[in-house]
Amino acid sequence: MKQGLSLRVSQHLALTPQLQQSIRLLQLSTLELSQEVEQMLDENPFLEVSDETAVREEFGLEHVNTPVSQDSREFESAADATAGGAEDAGISAAGEAEVSAEPKLEESWEGDGTVETTPDDSEWGSDAPARKNNNEEGEAEASDLTGGHESLQDHLHRQSLGLRLSEEDRAALHFLIESLNDDGYLEDSLASLAAGLAGGDMEQAEEIEQRFAMALRLLHHMEPAGVGARNLAECLSLQLLDCKDCEETRAAIAVCKHPMELLAKRDVKRLSYLCGFTEAAIKGAIAVIGRLDPKPGRRFVNVERNLIVPDVIVVKSGRGFKVTLNGDVMPRLRVHDIYANALKQHKGQDGQALQQRLQEARWFIKNIQQRFDTILRVSSAIVERQKSFFTHGELAMRPLVLREIADELGLHESTISRVTTAKYMGTPFGTFELKYFFGSALGTETGGNASSTAVRALIKQFVSSESAKKPLSDNQISEMLKEQGIECARRTVAKYREALRIAPANLRKSL
């Protein structure tokens, strides 16, 4: 085989490390971004948090409020607001974004990977707003508000202190209490729990099981009622023992002794035949059971408080709406001026590694600024497209897909997808994820389109106003939508109903 040299010309897209970081920061949620900033502050000595109020006039940047009015000519996008007046992207401490008008940075954002801009230290030494870690006096942390929470196990252990038990019986009761799940159920059988403690000794396992049986009877008499049950039927039966003795209560206890599927289907005739009570008594029993708690331990679960902090806030402003960034979620970062100036005076091969760290700090600040710039631009475009929602509510939501926003802003659909994932918008109607404003289109009789979000809201409205004794079926809801001019098949109605967590008609029926 003869060897030779040849030239071949080709083109390929290369993502620089800076662009890769920019894309990664864009898809992070607020919490993930905060963790990323903390990690970068620990690793990079040139990066620091600025506690001073950002003053941007010296860099030619102004605070930008993006108004969205009902007249499309009055709508100002984030990019247009600062085009020609700003040389760099920045984030103000007041919670509003300054949008970059730098052509080379915009090109790098689109992925050509040819960024060669090296900002000055003075440019990168500017401030960017940061998350406020210090609480003012009188403000309490969310974790402090949940510090006094009492778990189910603590609640039961406190009750057990009033019982006169031997050391062995108290240990058995303690073991059962610690074996309960979050719902208050004992998932494992007494035999399996005893066998695990006995370690293969059958005689000891039987003795332990007997102690567990006695301890379980004590547990069943503790509060909350129903705790320590092995299944749903036993949980309901234990709670019914505390109810007033009447025919309905006795019928309810009888119902719990039969398969729960009959209760779920509300098969009154079948239950009446099996339990030996009249249909009226069975209906009353079902009503009594409906007031019981199927998961008595849930009230003691310390559910993690996932507070959603909006990235952008929309407020009414004149005839339209104003879109601003939430200053509480934006980090205020800057390059450490002392270290940067010291590095300028130290030239040579030894300072190459430090120079890379300095450049890394600069690009990190730049990418964070670019992230919030893009979020603001996309949010402003969404508000402009969904003006009817902010005026009339979700029934006025119009169909919207990622491609429409991408074409309007000159971005790729994948960029819009990253921006709208795990980013939230605070509106007069509540806080919504940006993806909430996107929905597929359903045809109408007039030839137009209706948003799937608006159709779901309409279905929810139909169900809320239906008769409790004669709930609407999926087919009836489909016909009602057709009367409104919306073509929606029964299967589509069922899909939307399940997405709204609305039970079928037979389970919504009130006896």
Side-chain angles (χ1 to χ4, degrees), residues 305-317:
R305 273 72 174 177
N306 291 324
L307 301 179
I308 297 178
V309 180
D311 297 87
V312 291
I313 300 175
V314 180
V315 295
K316 183 74 175 177
S317 177

Side-chain angles (χ1 to χ4, degrees), residues 112-414:
D112 64 347
T114 58
V115 178
E116 298 180 358
T117 305
T118 303
D120 296 333
D121 288 338
S122 58
E123 176 186 2
W124 290 101
S126 58
D127 296 342
R131 176 188 299 274
K132 298 179 181 178
N133 294 327
N134 307 353
N135 283 344
E136 298 179 1
E137 283 189 35
E139 292 186 1
E141 291 281 357
S143 58
D144 297 338
L145 300 178
T146 60
H149 173 77
E150 183 183 40
S151 66
L152 174 63
Q153 283 72 18
D154 294 338
H155 182 68
L156 295 174
H157 286 317
R158 185 162 51 83
Q159 296 180 57
S160 67
L161 295 177
L163 301 177
R164 294 183 179 180
L165 301 173
S166 63
E167 292 297 328
E168 293 79 4
D169 293 338
R170 186 174 299 278
L173 179 59
H174 179 86
F175 187 84
L176 292 184
I177 290 175
E178 294 297 328
S179 300
L180 299 176
N181 62 14
D182 291 340
D183 296 333
Y185 285 82
L186 188 64
E187 295 178 332
D188 300 322
S189 64
L190 299 181
S192 62
L193 292 175
L197 290 178
D201 190 339
M202 299 300 297
E203 293 182 1
Q204 187 180 7
E206 292 179 2
E207 181 182 353
I208 295 176
E209 185 177 356
Q210 291 176 1
R211 290 190 181 277
F212 278 166
M214 186 188 71
L216 185 60
R217 288 194 293 270
L218 294 175
L219 183 59
H220 285 168
H221 287 84
M222 292 184 178
E223 292 292 334
V227 70
R230 269 88 41 105
N231 51 61
L232 177 60
E234 185 179 16
C235 179
L236 298 177
S237 299
L238 291 173
Q239 296 181 57
L240 289 170
L241 294 177
D242 293 342
C243 296
K244 181 181 178 181
D245 187 15
C246 60
E247 184 182 13
E248 292 180 348
T249 303
R250 292 191 295 270
I253 294 175
V255 167
C256 292
K257 294 180 181 178
H258 293 86
M260 290 289 101
E261 289 78 6
L262 298 177
L263 177 62
K265 295 178 180 178
R266 300 188 180 186
D267 194 342
V268 177
K269 292 184 178 180
R270 180 70 174 168
L271 289 172
S272 176
Y273 172 76
L274 294 175
C275 299
F277 288 88
T278 63
E279 293 187 8
I282 295 298
K283 291 181 180 179
I286 294 177
V288 171
I289 293 174
R291 294 193 291 267
L292 303 179
D293 187 0
K295 298 179 179 180
R298 275 292 169 181
R299 72 186 76 168
F300 296 93
V301 175
N302 188 15
V303 180
E304 183 180 358
R305 273 72 174 177
N306 291 324
L307 301 179
I308 297 178
V309 180
D311 297 87
V312 291
I313 300 175
V314 180
V315 295
K316 183 74 175 177
S317 177
R319 294 185 303 163
F321 299 89
K322 183 173 67 174
V323 184
T324 57
L325 289 168
N326 185 2
D328 292 336
V329 302
M330 294 184 293
R332 185 186 295 125
L333 302 175
R334 68 177 182 183
V335 172
H336 201 295
D337 294 334
I338 298 178
Y339 292 168
N341 293 332
L343 184 61
K344 278 184 176 180
Q345 301 174 1
H346 181 75
K347 297 182 180 180
Q349 188 174 3
D350 296 338
Q352 241 180 2
L354 293 177
Q355 186 67 37
Q356 292 179 357
R357 300 298 285 179
L358 175 60
Q359 185 66 16
E360 179 184 358
R362 291 169 172 170
W363 273 110
F364 186 73
I365 297 176
K366 194 76 170 178
N367 289 333
I368 287 181
Q369 294 170 344
Q370 180 68 41
R371 175 186 186 272
F372 285 104
D373 163 35
T374 308
I375 291 176
L376 180 62
R377 294 176 60 200
V378 172
S379 301
S380 301
I382 291 174
V383 173
E384 169 66 11
R385 292 297 185 99
Q386 299 291 3
K387 288 182 294 186
S388 299
F389 165 81
F390 295 95
T391 305
H392 306 289
E394 57 184 354
L395 287 175
M397 188 81 76
R398 56 159 292 182
L400 183 64
V401 294
L402 298 177
R403 184 179 62 256
E404 296 182 42
I405 301 297
D407 293 341
E408 178 178 341
L409 300 180
L411 302 174
H412 195 271
E413 288 185 46
S414 62

